[in-house]
Amino acid sequence: MLKLLGAMLILLAGTLFGFYQASQLSRRPRQIADLIRMLQRLETEIVYGFTPLPDALRRAARADDSPAGALFTAAAEELGKPGGRSVQAVWEQAVSRGWKTTSMKAAERDILLQLGSTLGLTDRDDQVKHLRLAVGSLQGEADIARDERERYERMWKSLGLLMGALVVILMY
């Protein structure tokens, strides 16, 4: 009886691991799409609203509860504090702290960090160019993420179950 319970728990753990990996693949394209929308809102705030960067970041993140929105909110809060830190340092800190809560990969983080090195340093037109470049790069990553999801989501679900079954077979 105890062996059967242990085998079922191992099988369940393997299956849950597979479903967790599949959900990570499923969340990544949505989070990239959220990030693209927020960057487009940020562009609108900068160009048409003539909004200062901390307020623009806050407004761009206000409509979104995703982990990407938390990155924008954290950067806006840090920029609002006195201390004279550069936008790049604040942006890097916000991205590095909040990145663990996202399902995105290093390529998206690198795009954001590259964007952060130009935010707040140049005039409005140049910032728009950098924002659009980041959006274009993220759209390419979103296409890759959708392809990976279609290709590997079912595989991870099956693989988790099969790995659990393999461990059970090897143990007994």
Side-chain angles (χ1 to χ4, degrees):
M1 181 68 177
L2 196 55
K3 280 186 171 184
L4 181 63
L5 181 63
M8 289 175 46
L9 286 176
I10 290 171
L11 195 59
L12 178 67
T15 303
L16 289 177
F17 176 74
F19 274 82
Y20 173 76
Q21 291 294 346
S23 73
Q24 289 288 88
L25 286 172
S26 179
R27 278 184 281 195
R28 183 174 171 226
R30 284 191 310 253
Q31 289 180 359
I32 294 172
D34 292 341
L35 190 57
I36 289 171
R37 278 191 299 278
M38 282 187 283
L39 288 175
Q40 289 170 338
R41 284 187 201 121
L42 181 62
E43 177 186 341
T44 302
E45 289 292 333
I46 290 172
V47 174
Y48 300 111
F50 297 98
T51 310
L53 189 58
D55 295 335
L57 287 168
R58 198 172 290 112
R59 287 181 185 175
R62 186 180 311 152
D64 205 329
D65 256 357
S66 69
L71 299 175
F72 279 56
T73 303
E77 288 173 1
E78 284 296 318
L79 284 174
K81 293 179 181 177
R85 293 179 48 202
S86 70
V87 174
Q88 181 179 2
V90 168
W91 186 257
E92 285 178 6
Q93 178 185 359
V95 169
S96 65
R97 282 186 182 170
W99 200 255
K100 296 171 191 158
T101 62
T102 70
S103 297
M104 294 183 275
K105 292 188 176 180
E108 292 90 12
R109 188 184 72 226
D110 293 341
I111 292 168
L112 282 181
L113 291 176
Q114 185 178 13
L115 174 66
S117 66
T118 60
L119 275 179
L121 293 179
T122 58
D123 65 341
R124 185 173 295 122
D125 295 330
D126 197 40
Q127 287 187 34
V128 168
K129 289 177 189 174
H130 288 289
L131 284 168
R132 288 183 182 166
L133 176 65
V135 166
S137 299
L138 286 171
Q139 286 172 339
E141 291 298 324
D143 293 339
I144 292 170
R146 279 190 292 277
D147 289 343
E148 285 181 0
R149 182 191 68 212
E150 290 172 7
R151 202 176 303 149
Y152 299 121
E153 188 174 22
R154 279 185 283 132
M155 179 200 71
W156 272 110
K157 289 177 181 177
S158 301
L159 189 62
L161 175 68
L162 292 174
M163 288 303 292
L166 177 67
V167 169
V168 167
I169 290 170
L170 290 176
M171 289 181 68
Y172 298 107

